[in-house]
Each structure stands twice: as C-alpha cells, then as structure tokens.
Amino acid sequence: MPGFDVLATAMNGANAQFIAQLYAKWISAPDSVDPDFASLFSALNDEAKSVLTDAIGASWAPRPLEFESEAAPATKPAKPPTADTRAATLDSIRALMLIRVYRVRGHLEAQLDPLGLKQPHYYSELDPKTYGFGEDDMDRPIFIDGVLGFETATMREILATVRASYCGPIGVEFMHIQDPAQKSWIQRRIEGAPWSTAFNKDEKAKILRQLTEADSFETFCQRRYVGTKRFGLEGGESTIPALHGIIETAANHGVKEIAIGMPHRGRLNTLVNIVQKPLTALFSEFGGESAKPNDVQGSGDVKYHLGTSTDITINGNQVHLSLQPNPSHLEAVDPVVVGKIRARLDMVGDKSRKSAMAIVMHGDAAFAGQGLVYETLAMSQLIGYRTGGSIHLVVNNQIGFTTVPAHAFSGLYCTDVAKAVQSPILHVNGDDPEAVVFAAHLATEFRMEFAVDVVIDLVCYRRHGHNENDEPAFTQPVMYKAIKALPTTQALYAKRLIAEGSVTEAQVKDITDTYNQKLEDAYKGAQSYKPNKADWLEGHWAGLNQAADEDEQTEEATAAPLEQLKEVGAALARPPENFDLNPKILRQLEAKQAMFDTGEGIDWATGEALAFGTLMLDGHRVRLSGEDCQRGTFSHRHAVLIDQTNQNEYTPLNNIKPGQPNIEIFNSLLSEAGVLGFEYGYALADPSVLVLWEAQFGDFANGAQVIIDQFIASGETKWLRMCGLTMLLPHGNEGQGPEHSSARLERYLQLCAERNMSVCNLTTPANYYHALRRQLKRNFRKPLIVMTPKSLLRHKLAVSSLHEFTNGSGFKFVIPETDDLVAPDKVKRVVLCTGKVYYDLLTERRERGIKDVAIVRMEQLYPFPAKSLKAAIEAYKNADVVWCQEEPENNGAWTFLDRRIEGVLVCLDNAAKRPRFVGRAAAASPATGLAKVHTAEQAALVNEALSV
C-alpha cells in the first residue's frame, strides 16, 4: 500500500491500521467517529488530506463522484504534499492518538492510593515516545483544533494537561460508554483538572468542617466506648463531605427526596452527620443505661443496622432524607432502596425521574463479590424498574475483612461490574477532600443530566481492623504499618488549607472545639435520655395501625358489589378495537364473557383479575412483577394482550373506565433476589398500592432467601417497618420433578412468629380474590405468602360462583366439609389438608362413593386459625384425624401444624387427641423426577387418607 510505511514508521502498526479505519469511517459517515478526530479531519486542507490518502493507501480514498454528463468538469489534481505538511499532519494525528489513549487509560496512572502502596507500572501507551515524540519534539507547536482547549499546543503542554486531567487524584473510566453525548459531557468537565480551582475559601472551610465532624465523631466514640463495635469510618472520613456534596447538588437540581442504603461501615457517622439523628439518641444506644425492654417497640437491632429520616433545607430547597435499615448481609439493601425510590416517583407521577434519587453505598469487596450489585445495576434502565439513575458510592478500604484485592476480584478495579451498564466510574483519592467533593458534584450532575447510574470509587483505607476489636496486622502488616504512620485526612487537609492561607490555625481549632463540645454535651444528655415511641405510622402510613394480638383478625369487608364485578368483567372480556388479537386469546375472552353471563365457572386467573380490578375502582394502584408474569408461566393470566401484527400492547384492566388508577405488570429480568428486594422496597414506601411479586416456579424464590429472611419476615419487628408485599409462589406435586414442584412451604412457616406475615395455600378463586383484597382493606399491613396453583388454574372443580365475590362473602380461614352427603354423625375420619391435594382427595372420594370421611381445608396456615378450625371439626368428636399432604413428611406444613392441630383437638376433647400424618416419606429431594413413581406415590397417599 503506497505511503503506508510513513504512518507505520511514525506510529506502531496497530495505530496505523486504526487511523486507516478511522479515516475511512469518517469519509462515509462523519458522525460515526470520535468528535475530536472528526473535527481534525474536517479541518485539514486538501494538501493535508492527500497525506492521509497517500499514507493510508488508494483503497481507503474516497470515490470520486460520477457525473451523468460527459461534459462534467475534470477534477484538478491535488498538489503533492510538502514534507512540512506531511510532518504537521502526522504530528496532529499522533497527538490525538495520545490524547485519546489518556482518556481511555489515563486512570491507570492516577494518584489514587492514600497509602502509596501501589507499585509504579510503566504503560507504554501513555508515553509520548510511543507516538514518535522524543525530548527534542516536546516544544514543537501541534495543531489539535480546539481539543483540550488548544488550537495549537506543544507536546509538553498536551502531556501536562492530560496528566493533570486523567492521572491526578481523580481517575475516570468513561470511554466504554457508547453515547457520544455522555462521553463529551465528561470530557468537558474533567479536562483541565478543574477541581484544583473549583472551591473558594468559604467552600473549603465548609469541607474542612464536614471532615472535622466526621473525624471528631469517630475519635470521640473510640475514646468513650472503648472496645464497642461500631464499624467506624476512620480512614474514609471523606465519605461525609462526599455525601454532603451529592445531596446539595441533587437539591439544587430539584430533587425532593433521597433514600440512602449502606452497609454497617460508617453508618453511625452517616446517621448523625448526614441524616441528623440526635447524638443523645445514638449515645443512649451505645451506653444502654436508660434503655429498658418496654422503651423500644419490636425486637430492636444493633445500632449499626438502624436507619432514620429527616427533612433538611438546602439553599431554600426542602429535601427528605432517609437512611434505610438493613441487615449485615452486604448489598441486600441495594434493590430495596431503589424500589423505594421508584415508588416515590410513581406516587407523584414523575415520569422524568428527577424528584427522588437513591444513594447506594458499598464496600469494595462487596461491590465486586455480591451478585445483588449486578442485579440492581441490571434493573437500572428497564422500564419497570428505572429510577432516573442512582449514585453508587464505594468506600474502598482496599481490603475485605482480611482479604486483599488480588483475592477479592478478578478485574482491575472492584467497580468493573458497573461497566456492564455503561456507568461512568470516578476513582478518587480519599485523602484529597476537594477532589472527592468535586467528584460527588460531577457524578450527581451527570445523573441529573442523563438519568443513569454513576459510580464513585472513593479510594481510602481502614484505620482499624474489620471492627474495633480486630487486629489487622495479623494479616496485613505492611498496610497497617503505613496506616499507622499516616496522619488523618482531616489533619492533612487542615495543614494544606493553613499553608495556602484559606484558613488559620485558630479557625481549625475553633471548628474542632465546637463540635467536640457538642459531642460532650450529647454524651451527658444520653445518660437520662428516654426514647420516643416510633413514628413508623406517620406520613404515608398515617391512618394505619398495628395489628391486634389475634391470630384471626376481625376482617374488613373484602367483597365488592355485583355491579362493580360486572364492570370489571366487561373490560376483561371486551376485545380491543382495531387490534389483531390471537384467535386463542379471543376464545378465552369469549369464555370469560360466558362466566359473567352465567355467574358460574370463575377460574383462578379471572378471580385474580377481579381482585385487581375492584381494588383499582376503589382507588388503589396495583403493581405485579416477576418473570413472564404478563402472560403467566402457565399461560393462564394474559393480563397484557399483544397485537399479532405490530406487537402493540393492550391491558384490559387499564380500560375499565376513564380516570381509574392503573395496574402495572412488568416481565422482570431473570432475577429473584434483586426483583423481590425491589418490590419489597416499593411496598415499604407506599401502603396504598397492592404490590405483588410472582416466582416463575415457587422454588425459584430460593435465590432470594436473604430478602425473605432479613426483610420480609423480620423487618417489622427489627426496624418497625410494615410492608404489605404479596408473594405468589407456584406450588404443587404434579410430577414435574424436584425443581418445579415445591415452593418450600415449610421454610416460610418456620419464619412465622409474632404474627409477622400471612401464609396461605388456597383452593378457590374466590378465596384468592378475598385474600388479595384483604391486603389493602385491613387497617394494617403484613406480607402475604401464597402457594399458588399450577394444574388448578384449569381444573374444572377449582372454580367459584360470582356470588362468592359479592357482598356477604369474605375470606375463609378454613373451609369445612361442603358435601351434604357426608353426615357429621356418620364421619369416622376427618382429613385435614391444604391446597391442591384437596381436589385429588375429593375426586377419589366421589369415585369411590365414600361418605364417612370429611375433608376440611386449611386455607390460611399462619396465623394459625384455631377458632375456624375448631368450628369446622367440632361436630366430629369421635372421628380420628389425619393430616394429608403431598409433600414429604419433612417438608410442607406438617411439622409446623401438628402440635397446633393437637391443641385444637385437646380443646375439643376429641377422641383422636393427636393428628396422624399421611403423605410421602421424608426425603432429601422435594419430589421424584420419575412420572410413574410420582403417580404411584400420589395414589398411595390419597388412598391411605381415605381408607378408614
């Protein structure tokens, strides 16, 4: 290729090929290349362009225009380029190559580690020599057409600018982003190292004060509460100015509410210095002198798990701040916080996603190691879960408990996972508070501009061990020798400001003394501090109450007027106009119409839709999400119809009548823990919405066990936070194998205590309808766990009449024997059961003509409905009682219910005294994978239950 050796000599071969491809792309599509190269190519004169054409080769040259007329004027040959032009053009291209590489890889040489332990590494891509610039070439003017703010600049000036911009206390990763506008935005705000001149004296003094408060708080706690675990922020005190910077910038851009989720490290500092929890309240929790069991509702939790909220005013803008309580399970709170923000945005109808924002804080090892981080990031741009972007603040101690980064993650940085969603990542040295606050401002402004997640990697250290009683030198002696010799961030910054004349020594002393006196006063006040009763039923929760101490609550009316039911039914059965409906769906709509015409045969999906629709007509929104839940895993719901021609969507329930609230049904990403945590957070924020999460199969919820254990089951008693989330878990032994049979009912029952949630295994569409409506008709909120059916979705017997949904009906805790042919005085056995096995028992009993066995269904398993069960079986005092279940003996409800049922039998003075188990033998696997074995087992347990 003629002339290619010119570029190959000036640059390495890979760069020459890159320029060839880049110039060729620019010729055909100028907007498709980096704006800086496009600007340079367009600015070159014909002579300079001929250099490129010659250097790249004839095959890359633009094709001449073809004129239809033979009389078209001939093109004048270009003048051969001079040596000076050739050299100047190559200088420009090589300089742009260098600048671009610094934008991509400059962060590799950024000064990020306050400890200085990172060994220097030579990166040839960042060396001007790689691009043909020796020491003699450093002061030659080079045309770069406005890049870096220069029309022309020497290589020395270019190198100084890019190193200051990309290799200083902030290292930026952003060139992986595909949106040119986002990359250009960051370039304009980073290049020239503006953080070095960003703050005036007053602003620097404010940063110093915030840093002093963070530092003094930790020092005070270390002195006053020796040996007490608090997971302090020492070494990462710049976190507090960073949070202030994020919150202030967000407030100035119109954000009205900010929810913070964070791990235990630094939580106490954040509670008092950001969310303004009273110091006296916190110190009383440390000392415990005044704390008595009846002072605090619920079981309580350790202080570094607790949250709080407050309202603050910033430059005339009021902002509601909340710090979410969370367990020690790292990153579990991430989706909860984001779900809460989505609820707040939906409550005010903010489609721009500007009025509320999440700040999610992380540790370095957890950000790299916990899958929930990616699940939360993966939701960030999805229609059902986006919130306008979150700020992720990684407090990077450069250590995970005792695990060094080389053992903690495979990538270059702990934040590499964020590149998967094209988030910009700002690495910043925690010992440069001004750079930290600048990064906080920049990240928040970027979020407000582009509505995407942004990551700040605050590189710092941990002055103590994992906790204050830990000895870190056992495993990190070199690191902790360096830490011991290093002054605090506050001391370094104060010295710097004094040296530059921004503050005086007297001002520094006054800032420190004032805050220390505040700490001492609060410490004294804590000795007699009495906590107030929690404010957990204020704000959006006003009007709701705590649940009464009864297992069977006096239920609110859950029935709906017949007219309302028919209004919903009409919408469900009405084909949309000008809509190419699938013929099978059309037949289903016709079948629904027949249900409402006759008032009979209401199936499971229709019963559910009636619950949703009537709640919407009562003024409530409904939100359902889960894997493939629009159609339903078993193709039963079809809540969103799809036009067969153009893929347009139509939701019948959103077309009942004008002005109604809407239902939102979202097919989720293939995630359990992340999505369930999100929906828990959503329900936590808005008690007026029916929020449901559906597992594809019930045991898929295994992947979300942390959310179930730490939030859903125990959140109210630990943190005084009600939640009305409903979980729909397909369950039933139907020969589909170990992984598609059991929703692990036993696990939920094991978590049940203190009336913390309701667990149901329902048998009729009407009772399902009432259970769903009960969630919002009660004057309190509790999670509802429903073992939902699979085969019963289309079972001819598993249907309800329309009158069961209307006035006079309600939720049934227990459904007694309903067959008039089973006379109480002739009954020899009572079979207690729950869920789908009832229909197997009923069918077999009918086929065999058995009349001396009564079948009683327990629809709600917890809270245990002792009163209803007693009423259902008291007529059978001389009958023996068995508990029949499909699940193996060590699974299902048996081990939870047996003694409770025994208590009812003893109370009734029943002859049986104790129930007997009928079901599959205990097994390690919840179900067999062999269809023949399943059929034989099922027949055997049904036969045993009915054989007197």
Side-chain angles (χ1 to χ4, degrees):
M1 297 174 67
F4 192 82
D5 58 325
V6 177
L7 279 181
T9 301
M11 303 175 288
N12 63 49
N15 286 346
Q17 185 180 14
F18 172 77
I19 292 296
Q21 294 171 347
L22 201 63
Y23 186 58
K25 283 182 67 178
W26 178 79
I27 290 168
S28 59
D31 293 337
S32 66
V33 303
D34 186 285
D36 291 338
F37 280 103
S39 176
L40 177 68
F41 291 151
S42 63
L44 296 176
N45 57 30
D46 289 343
E47 184 179 23
K49 288 178 181 177
S50 70
V51 174
L52 275 178
T53 302
D54 180 49
I56 292 168
S59 62
W60 293 104
R63 296 187 179 184
L65 296 174
E66 297 179 2
F67 295 96
E68 293 183 4
S69 170
E70 294 182 2
T75 303
K76 184 178 180 180
K79 182 180 178 181
T82 65
D84 288 344
T85 300
R86 183 184 299 273
T89 302
L90 292 177
D91 272 356
S92 297
I93 292 172
R94 291 181 296 173
L96 283 181
M97 288 290 297
L98 176 71
I99 293 167
R100 186 181 186 279
V101 169
Y102 266 89
R103 289 169 176 164
V104 175
R105 307 201 70 194
H107 58 85
L108 296 174
E109 293 189 0
Q111 305 305 301
L112 301 177
D113 183 9
L115 302 177
L117 296 178
K118 182 181 178 182
Q119 295 299 314
H121 183 81
Y122 173 70
Y123 296 96
S124 61
E125 305 99 312
L126 303 177
D127 188 343
K129 294 177 183 176
T130 302
Y131 304 89
F133 294 102
E135 185 58 36
D136 295 340
D137 304 309
M138 297 299 287
D139 298 309
R140 183 170 64 245
I142 302 170
F143 174 71
I144 55 175
D145 193 32
V147 178
L148 301 178
F150 300 105
E151 284 298 312
T152 61
T154 66
M155 178 49 60
R156 196 177 305 280
E157 291 171 326
I158 292 171
L159 191 62
T161 301
V162 293
R163 290 200 68 81
S165 303
Y166 295 107
C167 302
I170 298 178
V172 191
E173 291 188 272
F174 69 103
M175 292 296 281
H176 57 280
I177 299 172
Q178 298 301 305
D179 183 347
Q182 293 184 21
K183 289 192 289 188
S184 177
W185 190 98
I186 293 174
Q187 285 175 199
R188 292 195 305 272
R189 284 159 177 79
I190 284 290
E191 290 178 349
W195 55 86
S196 59
T197 58
F199 305 101
N200 60 34
K201 287 186 177 181
D202 290 341
E203 290 167 333
K204 291 180 179 182
K206 183 170 76 171
I207 294 172
L208 177 63
R209 177 178 55 77
Q210 295 166 351
L211 200 59
T212 301
E213 291 173 352
D215 179 85
S216 297
F217 174 80
E218 299 294 353
T219 302
F220 182 88
C221 292
Q222 181 71 2
R223 176 168 54 88
R224 286 292 191 181
Y225 304 106
V226 178
T228 300
K229 285 185 182 182
R230 55 187 166 80
F231 298 95
L233 198 54
E234 293 99 324
E237 293 94 342
S238 288
T239 300
I240 298 303
L243 288 170
H244 279 295
I246 294 168
I247 293 165
E248 289 169 10
T249 305
N252 292 335
H253 282 76
V255 172
K256 303 298 182 187
E257 179 163 357
I258 295 174
I260 304 172
M262 68 179 297
H264 41 286
R265 176 137 347 259
R267 173 176 285 266
L268 303 183
N269 212 315
T270 304
L271 278 168
V272 298
N273 286 318
I274 297 296
V275 200
Q276 300 181 1
K277 180 172 183 172
L279 284 163
T280 50
L282 183 68
F283 290 158
S284 78
E285 293 167 4
F286 264 104
E289 291 88 349
S290 63
K292 296 182 177 63
N294 60 353
D295 283 340
V296 179
Q297 295 168 269
S299 67
D301 200 349
V302 292
K303 51 192 167 295
Y304 43 82
H305 289 172
L306 301 177
T308 192
S309 63
T310 190
D311 292 312
I312 63 173
T313 301
I314 300 174
N315 299 328
N317 303 304
Q318 189 176 58
V319 180
H320 181 72
L321 289 181
S322 61
L323 176 60
Q324 302 308 299
N326 69 278
S328 281
H329 292 69
L330 296 173
E331 308 298 342
V333 78
D334 299 0
V336 175
V337 173
V338 178
K340 177 179 178 179
I341 288 299
R342 174 60 181 252
R344 292 288 197 247
L345 292 166
D346 288 350
M347 288 171 76
V348 297
D350 181 7
K351 299 298 184 184
S352 69
R353 315 292 181 200
K354 300 287 188 183
S355 62
M357 184 182 83
I359 300 174
V360 190
M361 299 172 64
H362 316 265
D364 47 317
F367 196 84
Q370 291 293 312
L372 264 174
V373 173
Y374 175 73
E375 291 187 38
T376 304
L377 289 168
M379 288 189 280
S380 63
Q381 293 299 313
L382 300 181
I383 186 172
Y385 310 92
R386 58 190 175 208
T387 62
S390 302
I391 305 295
H392 297 268
L393 178 58
V394 181
V395 182
N396 185 350
N397 300 156
Q398 307 184 73
I399 192 75
F401 205 146
T402 66
T403 304
V404 297
H407 297 170
F409 49 89
S410 297
L412 187 61
Y413 297 108
C414 66
T415 53
D416 284 349
V417 66
K419 293 179 187 177
V421 294
Q422 300 184 48
S423 290
I425 304 168
L426 306 174
H427 307 280
V428 58
N429 189 319
D431 262 1
D432 191 332
E434 290 177 21
V436 169
V437 175
F438 179 88
H441 292 170
L442 184 73
T444 311
E445 289 169 0
F446 187 90
R447 182 268 179 192
M448 298 305 297
E449 179 70 20
F450 296 106
V452 298
D453 284 31
V454 188
V455 177
I456 302 170
D457 176 21
L458 197 158
V459 184
C460 51
Y461 56 92
R462 190 186 66 197
R463 190 165 287 277
H464 302 294
H466 178 66
N467 60 63
E468 286 68 27
N469 296 325
D470 194 35
E471 176 48 76
F474 289 154
T475 51
Q476 277 75 42
V478 174
M479 171 182 276
Y480 276 86
K481 188 178 293 183
I483 291 172
K484 188 175 181 180
L486 188 66
T488 66
T489 306
Q490 189 271 348
L492 291 171
Y493 189 55
K495 183 178 179 180
R496 169 178 158 185
L497 294 190
I498 291 169
E500 69 183 34
S502 294
V503 298
T504 65
E505 289 187 20
Q507 287 175 303
V508 173
K509 185 176 185 303
D510 182 62
I511 292 171
T512 305
D513 290 347
T514 299
Y515 192 70
N516 281 336
Q517 187 60 53
K518 182 179 179 181
L519 292 168
E520 289 291 349
D521 293 343
Y523 177 77
K524 293 175 183 177
Q527 311 308 310
S528 58
Y529 177 79
K530 297 292 184 183
N532 294 322
K533 287 295 183 181
D535 58 354
W536 56 316
L537 295 177
E538 296 180 357
H540 300 295
W541 292 81
L544 294 173
N545 300 310
Q546 284 183 266
D549 291 335
E550 300 175 16
D551 286 335
E552 295 177 66
Q553 305 285 345
T554 301
E555 298 296 339
E556 298 290 334
T558 55
L562 181 60
E563 297 75 15
Q564 194 179 67
L565 292 167
K566 289 192 172 182
E567 188 176 14
V568 175
L572 294 174
R574 182 170 54 241
E577 296 180 1
N578 303 314
F579 198 89
D580 185 7
L581 201 59
N582 186 292
K584 293 181 180 179
I585 301 298
L586 185 59
R587 289 196 294 272
Q588 289 186 20
L589 298 190
E590 292 169 351
K592 285 189 189 298
Q593 185 62 60
M595 295 176 194
F596 290 98
D597 289 342
T598 63
E600 299 296 335
I602 306 292
D603 61 16
W604 201 272
T606 307
E608 176 187 78
L610 286 173
F612 294 163
T614 52
L615 284 172
M616 290 157 64
L617 294 181
D618 289 343
H620 299 283
R621 290 188 295 115
V622 177
R623 176 184 169 91
L624 167 64
S625 85
E627 294 157 14
D628 308 293
C629 67
Q630 290 183 342
R631 191 202 75 171
T633 297
F634 310 102
S635 197
H636 68 286
R637 182 173 288 121
H638 293 289
V640 178
L641 308 181
I642 307 299
D643 189 295
Q644 302 296 292
T645 301
N646 54 28
Q647 200 69 30
N648 287 345
E649 296 182 356
Y650 176 84
T651 303
L653 283 171
N654 286 337
N655 292 273
I656 303 171
K657 70 177 185 180
Q660 65 171 76
N662 278 353
I663 185 173
E664 291 185 308
I665 308 173
F666 296 112
N667 289 337
S668 75
L669 70 164
L670 213 157
S671 153
E672 284 79 37
V675 177
L676 181 59
F678 186 100
E679 302 305 339
Y680 173 84
Y682 198 105
L684 202 66
D686 191 347
S688 70
V689 180
L690 179 64
V691 183
L692 309 98
W693 176 77
E694 181 173 63
Q696 190 144 55
F697 287 90
D699 55 345
F700 283 23
N702 291 350
Q705 201 66 46
V706 169
I707 303 298
I708 297 164
D709 291 353
Q710 304 302 326
F711 292 93
I712 293 172
S714 58
E716 181 179 342
T717 188
K718 289 190 298 187
W719 306 317
L720 303 182
R721 291 294 178 265
M722 280 188 186
C723 178
L725 177 67
T726 296
M727 293 177 61
L728 307 179
L729 307 174
H731 174 82
N733 284 49
E734 294 164 347
Q736 293 188 320
E739 272 68 60
H740 288 160
S741 296
S742 175
R744 293 294 190 177
L745 172 61
E746 63 278 1
R747 292 182 180 169
Y748 297 93
L749 293 174
Q750 185 185 45
L751 294 170
C752 289
E754 301 179 291
R755 301 168 189 86
N756 58 334
M757 57 187 179
S758 298
V759 178
C760 296
N761 192 7
L762 307 170
T763 59
T764 73
N767 220 25
Y768 178 44
Y769 158 93
H770 288 292
L772 293 178
R773 284 180 55 84
R774 183 176 67 164
Q775 283 297 92
L776 295 188
K777 295 303 178 181
R778 286 169 160 174
N779 65 348
F780 59 91
R781 296 289 178 266
K782 296 283 184 180
L784 170 62
I785 315 300
V786 183
M787 303 291 117
T788 55
K790 294 175 290 182
S791 63
L792 298 193
L793 296 171
R794 295 177 177 82
H795 199 294
K796 292 182 179 180
L797 297 177
V799 293
S800 299
S801 300
L802 197 57
H803 70 82
E804 297 177 69
F805 299 80
T806 58
N807 293 333
S809 59
F811 179 75
K812 294 180 172 60
F813 295 94
V814 175
I815 300 179
E817 175 58 65
T818 57
D819 193 333
D820 293 337
L821 296 178
V822 179
D825 59 339
K826 300 293 179 65
V827 168
K828 298 178 181 178
R829 170 172 292 176
V830 176
V831 179
L832 303 179
C833 64
T834 186
K836 169 250 174 187
V837 72
Y838 164 73
Y839 290 98
D840 295 336
L841 293 165
L842 178 65
T843 300
E844 184 68 14
R845 188 179 71 175
R846 286 179 176 178
E847 288 180 358
R848 290 163 57 175
I850 297 173
K851 298 179 182 180
D852 57 358
V853 176
I855 306 173
V856 176
R857 290 169 271 174
M858 293 190 62
E859 299 284 287
Q860 177 173 294
L861 303 174
Y862 188 83
F864 181 69
K867 293 179 184 177
S868 295
L869 180 59
K870 180 180 177 182
I873 66 173
E874 62 184 347
Y876 313 118
K877 288 188 176 182
N878 296 319
D880 74 326
V881 177
V882 302
W883 171 261
C884 179
Q885 66 179 39
E886 301 178 297
E887 300 89 351
E889 186 173 5
N890 58 321
N891 293 174
W894 167 242
T895 56
F896 180 82
L897 293 179
D898 62 343
R899 292 303 176 89
R900 290 171 171 83
I901 296 172
E902 180 182 354
V904 172
L905 296 178
V906 170
C907 179
L908 290 172
D909 195 24
N910 187 281
K913 300 300 183 186
R914 289 198 66 182
R916 182 170 63 84
F917 174 79
V918 173
R920 287 176 168 85
S925 174
T928 179
L930 305 175
K932 287 184 178 179
V933 173
H934 162 77
T935 302
E937 290 176 344
Q938 194 76 4
L941 70 89
V942 169
N943 179 65
E944 183 181 354
L946 296 176
S947 298
V948 180

